[in-house]
Amino acid sequence: MQFTQNTILEFFDSSQKQFIIPVYQRAYSWEKKEWNTFLTDLKEQIEGDNNYFFGNILLETIKKGKLYEIIDGQQRLTTLVIFIRALINVLEERIQQGENIDIDLDSKYSIYLKEKGNIKLRTVDYDKACFDSLIIENNKDFNVNSVSQKRIKNAKKFFIDELSKEKTESILKIFEKLEETELTTIELKGKKDSALMFELQNNRGKDLTNMEKLKSYFMYQMYVYSPSDETETNIEYISNIFKQIYLIIKDLKDIDEDSILIYHCYAYIKGYAYRTISDIKETFKKSTKDKVEWIKSFVDELHNSFSNLKKFEQTNLQYANDLKKLKIPAFAYPFIVKGYKYFGDSEEKLNHLFNILEILVFRYQLINSRADINSRLNDILKKFNGDLDKLAQDLKNKMNESWYWGDQRVKDFLNGWMYENRVLHYLLWKYEEHIQTKGYSIKVLKLVNEQIEHISPQTPTDGSPLASGYEINKDGVYDDDFKNSYLNCLGNLMLISGSHNSSIGNKPFKDKLNSYLKNPLLNQQAEIKDFMEGDIDNPKWTKESIIKRKDEIVNFAIKKWDFNNCG
């Protein structure tokens, strides 16, 4: 282990030196808040006489004097190189505009960015093309396809925009102060020293993701518990597994890394009682198994969970797509994690599992109770071993036992005030699919500016009387019973495009009906004629009409979201 005090200029100033961010490290994560702090600190330093301190940089020596892996400090160094690119760009532009600036920018480029063919800083593999294009080669654009790549692109723009506001004299002072900034490099040899030092470094309360903290903890525990002749190999094993996990993370679109860690621990550590990585550490310490094997087993299973949730993001199984439309709550994911473990190669069984979860999530979203569902699901989750029929029955029993999401309460909600309920759009689309199977079928479509239509219109905001054809009293308004029990129930609500909705508003029911029949984008618009009172020349939309249509939709929903009908 070697400690060296350097300036930033000394740190970079070698034609052969190259710094690599290994793929098991997280990708670039700094955003505007951190960029602004970085720049503000530098600007404050040029007002005083003291040198700025950049902190410690932890390196693993791969080839002395030439090649180093960055163990700690990758976010700061990546930001530094992006900032220097922005500095060079702003000064180059001013020189091109005729300003006389005493600085050798080619030399600065060679020191900090690229010396002949040697790129000084290499990011994680999956961001190299982006970083090299935007920062090293200074291309104006790059088709970014990950969050970290967007941050690299946005950081460059941020620094260019901010530096462009500064006078040239100030920019040169900032550059000079930056080169004089001190840092301490700590060179380590081998994964064993790296694991030990990284764990000690990150006990300082640095803002790491939980995945990073867990990685460093496990690497350190391998140092503690491995036989001396296996230490290096075991630590390398952990770093390689995390390398694979981070390769998966870059492809994830909807779920972040720390959330997957939580879902994994819900499934395998303490159920929904899991809170932080301290629970993992506690379980590890209490385990009577071989400690090295425990860690290997855990990280192997964790990798499987990441891999399987990536598969879930990419699957097009019917009920997986339905779950995604419902916006999956956290309590559902550990069941998905376990499902892939037990029958990940069977699309039939996976779709059955997703169907069960879709029913559970629909009920949860429909009722939106403040009651704690996690505590009620905990035993079911812990006991779930792949038996789908048992899972469906256990959920049905528990939901009815706890009442909050049971059959009767679902029925009560469906029969009640449904306008603005968070599953209303989803429910009406599923009803549309249902009635299409009963008659002619329309191709899958989307409504432009999708809205909910009140067939009996809401009271006009301008205070004008309601139009004809609706259940109104002699004063031209709804009575209290209608407003409380009919206006916002399922029987009076329908999917419609925004333009169609705005065009019919408070028109007489006859005009509305004609518009539904003239261009029925959905069957639920065409079938309104089946529930109305009167005839086509004198149609009425009454309480009886609404009740008949509501009963039709409710009966459909009760059957569809019954645990006995899944699979």
Side-chain angles (χ1 to χ4, degrees):
M1 190 179 300
Q2 179 179 336
F3 292 76
T4 307
Q5 196 78 20
N6 287 321
T7 64
I8 284 178
L9 176 59
E10 292 168 337
F11 181 79
F12 279 95
D13 193 11
S14 167
S15 62
Q16 298 186 60
K17 194 180 293 184
Q18 187 177 72
F19 304 98
I20 297 173
I21 301 173
V23 75
Y24 61 81
Q25 301 284 22
R26 63 173 167 173
Y28 188 57
S29 63
W30 277 20
E31 294 186 330
K32 188 174 181 179
K33 177 183 176 183
E34 289 79 19
W35 306 331
N36 195 59
T37 300
F38 176 90
L39 181 56
T40 300
D41 286 348
L42 274 174
K43 288 163 71 173
E44 287 177 352
Q45 292 302 315
I46 66 175
E47 302 299 328
D49 296 326
N50 294 325
N51 281 340
Y52 180 38
F53 180 61
F54 200 62
N56 298 330
I57 302 297
L58 195 59
L59 305 172
E60 181 182 341
T61 304
I62 307 300
K63 194 170 184 180
K64 183 69 175 175
K66 292 185 177 181
L67 189 61
Y68 300 88
E69 284 192 352
I70 303 170
I71 306 303
D72 186 37
Q74 70 268 31
Q75 302 298 327
R76 285 171 288 149
L77 288 176
T78 304
T79 303
L80 174 65
V81 173
I82 296 172
F83 181 70
I84 290 174
R85 162 51 71 192
L87 276 167
I88 291 172
N89 282 12
V90 172
L91 292 173
E92 276 183 343
E93 183 177 354
R94 294 186 182 183
I95 291 171
Q96 290 169 6
Q97 291 172 352
E99 193 171 342
N100 185 20
I101 304 175
D102 184 19
I103 187 169
D104 184 355
L105 292 180
D106 289 339
S107 172
K108 301 302 182 187
Y109 176 82
S110 297
I111 292 170
Y112 297 105
L113 300 176
K114 184 179 179 182
E115 168 71 17
K116 296 181 180 178
N118 180 45
I119 296 173
K120 293 301 185 71
L121 179 69
R122 305 314 310 262
T123 62
V124 288
D125 288 345
Y126 42 85
D127 284 343
K128 276 181 184 176
C130 171
F131 189 82
D132 291 355
S133 176
L134 291 175
I135 308 305
I136 305 302
E137 301 303 330
N138 197 34
N139 293 322
K140 290 185 177 180
D141 201 9
F142 182 87
N143 186 23
V144 297
N145 54 28
S146 70
V147 174
S148 55
Q149 290 179 11
K150 289 177 184 176
R151 290 177 181 139
I152 291 168
K153 184 175 182 178
N154 291 339
K156 178 183 176 183
K157 182 179 185 304
F158 172 83
F159 287 130
I160 289 175
D161 289 347
E162 293 300 311
L163 288 169
S164 295
K165 301 173 187 177
E166 299 290 330
K167 294 179 180 179
T168 300
E169 181 183 0
S170 295
I171 296 175
L172 293 174
K173 285 183 178 179
I174 290 172
F175 211 156
E176 182 181 2
K177 178 62 69 173
L178 185 64
E179 292 191 317
E180 294 173 353
T181 292
E182 295 179 347
L183 55 81
T184 300
T185 57
I186 307 168
E187 293 184 33
L188 309 169
K189 294 182 179 180
K191 289 288 184 292
K192 182 167 69 173
D193 287 346
S194 300
L196 174 60
M197 194 63 189
F198 189 56
E199 175 67 8
L200 296 175
Q201 280 278 107
N202 290 303
N203 280 334
R204 298 174 301 162
K206 292 187 67 175
D207 185 19
L208 300 177
T209 67
N210 285 323
M211 283 288 292
E212 287 182 303
K213 293 174 184 175
L214 185 63
K215 176 190 68 180
S216 68
Y217 175 76
F218 280 154
M219 290 174 75
Y220 177 67
Q221 295 306 320
M222 282 300 200
Y223 171 85
V224 172
Y225 287 102
S226 295
S228 58
D229 60 340
E230 297 178 13
T231 303
E232 192 79 16
T233 302
N234 287 339
I235 292 173
E236 187 78 33
Y237 183 87
I238 300 302
S239 70
N240 285 337
I241 294 293
F242 274 89
K243 173 180 178 179
Q244 296 304 314
I245 289 174
Y246 276 95
L247 287 171
I248 293 169
I249 288 170
K250 77 178 180 64
D251 294 328
L252 295 172
K253 293 180 174 61
D254 301 321
I255 321 174
D256 65 80
E257 62 189 82
D258 280 347
S259 293
I260 295 179
L261 176 60
I262 290 170
Y263 304 148
H264 176 84
C265 293
Y266 281 168
Y268 300 120
I269 295 295
K270 295 181 72 174
Y272 296 111
Y274 173 83
R275 290 295 177 267
T276 68
I277 61 172
S278 296
D279 294 327
I280 301 174
K281 295 177 181 180
E282 178 186 347
T283 305
F284 166 70
K285 290 174 182 176
K286 289 181 177 178
S287 172
T288 57
K289 288 177 59 178
D290 179 278
K291 299 297 187 184
V292 169
E293 289 307 310
W294 191 99
I295 294 172
K296 286 184 176 181
S297 176
F298 183 93
V299 297
D300 285 343
E301 199 70 74
L302 182 63
H303 172 260
N304 289 337
S305 293
F306 271 86
S307 177
N308 289 331
L309 286 180
K310 176 182 173 180
K311 291 178 186 176
F312 176 72
E313 277 198 350
Q314 297 173 342
T315 185
N316 279 315
L317 289 174
Q318 175 192 344
Y319 286 107
N321 289 333
D322 288 344
L323 267 175
K324 294 168 189 176
K325 291 174 187 174
L326 276 170
K327 296 183 179 178
I328 310 171
F331 66 74
Y333 277 106
F335 286 101
I336 296 171
V337 167
K338 279 194 162 186
Y340 272 99
K341 175 181 179 178
Y342 291 123
F343 39 77
D345 294 331
S346 171
E347 288 193 347
E348 180 183 356
K349 289 184 178 180
L350 283 172
N351 207 39
H352 186 180
L353 170 65
F354 301 150
N355 186 187
I356 295 170
L357 293 176
E358 186 256 358
I359 293 171
L360 174 64
V361 172
F362 177 84
R363 288 172 170 239
Y364 173 78
Q365 305 278 32
L366 167 73
I367 293 169
N368 195 23
S369 171
R370 293 184 179 181
D372 177 20
I373 196 169
N374 287 9
S375 62
R376 292 167 171 83
L377 295 176
N378 205 37
D379 284 344
I380 298 173
L381 172 64
K382 287 181 176 180
K383 293 175 183 177
F384 175 51
N385 61 1
D387 187 333
L388 293 172
D389 292 334
K390 185 175 187 307
L391 175 63
Q393 193 58 50
D394 286 348
L395 289 172
K396 181 178 179 67
N397 293 341
K398 180 58 68 173
M399 294 302 97
N400 283 310
E401 172 191 311
S402 59
W403 177 74
Y404 294 102
W405 305 277
D407 294 342
Q408 186 57 51
R409 196 139 195 257
V410 167
K411 185 175 181 180
D412 291 343
F413 261 76
L414 292 169
N415 276 291
W417 182 303
M418 280 293 294
Y419 183 57
E420 295 183 333
N421 188 288
R422 56 184 175 171
V423 300
L424 178 59
H425 287 255
Y426 179 79
L427 189 160
L428 289 176
W429 275 115
K430 288 302 171 184
Y431 176 67
E432 180 66 27
E433 291 177 11
H434 167 69
I435 59 179
Q436 284 191 25
T437 64
K438 295 165 63 177
Y440 71 93
S441 180
I442 306 173
K443 292 181 180 179
V444 174
L445 53 83
K446 291 183 179 180
L447 296 176
V448 177
N449 187 22
E450 179 183 310
Q451 295 180 5
I452 296 295
E453 151 83 334
H454 284 77
I455 302 168
S456 277
Q458 293 175 296
T459 304
T461 56
D462 62 4
S464 59
L466 290 155
S468 61
Y470 306 109
E471 187 92 6
I472 53 178
N473 61 24
K474 58 184 178 59
D475 296 320
V477 297
Y478 301 131
D479 60 28
D480 288 342
D481 178 51
F482 188 90
K483 288 188 286 187
N484 292 331
S485 302
Y486 295 86
L487 181 63
N488 292 295
C489 78
L490 275 175
N492 194 48
L493 304 174
M494 183 175 67
L495 289 170
I496 198 168
S497 70
S499 59
H500 191 173
N501 196 16
S502 63
S503 70
I504 55 180
N506 183 35
K507 286 187 175 181
F509 177 64
K510 182 177 180 180
D511 294 343
K512 276 195 175 187
L513 181 63
N514 286 337
S515 78
Y516 299 156
L517 298 176
K518 184 178 180 181
N519 187 22
L521 289 177
L522 302 179
N523 281 11
Q524 60 194 268
Q525 296 171 12
E527 74 166 4
I528 295 301
K529 68 181 186 304
D530 300 331
F531 299 104
M532 70 182 193
E533 301 292 315
D535 56 38
I536 201 71
D537 294 321
N538 188 30
K540 302 285 185 183
W541 190 250
T542 65
K543 290 180 179 179
E544 288 73 19
S545 304
I546 294 172
I547 289 173
K548 283 192 293 183
R549 183 167 179 268
K550 181 192 73 173
D551 288 346
E552 185 77 15
I553 299 174
V554 169
N555 288 337
F556 151 76
I558 288 173
K559 290 178 183 177
K560 176 166 180 56
W561 288 290
D562 186 334
F563 285 108
N564 289 336
N565 294 330
C566 60

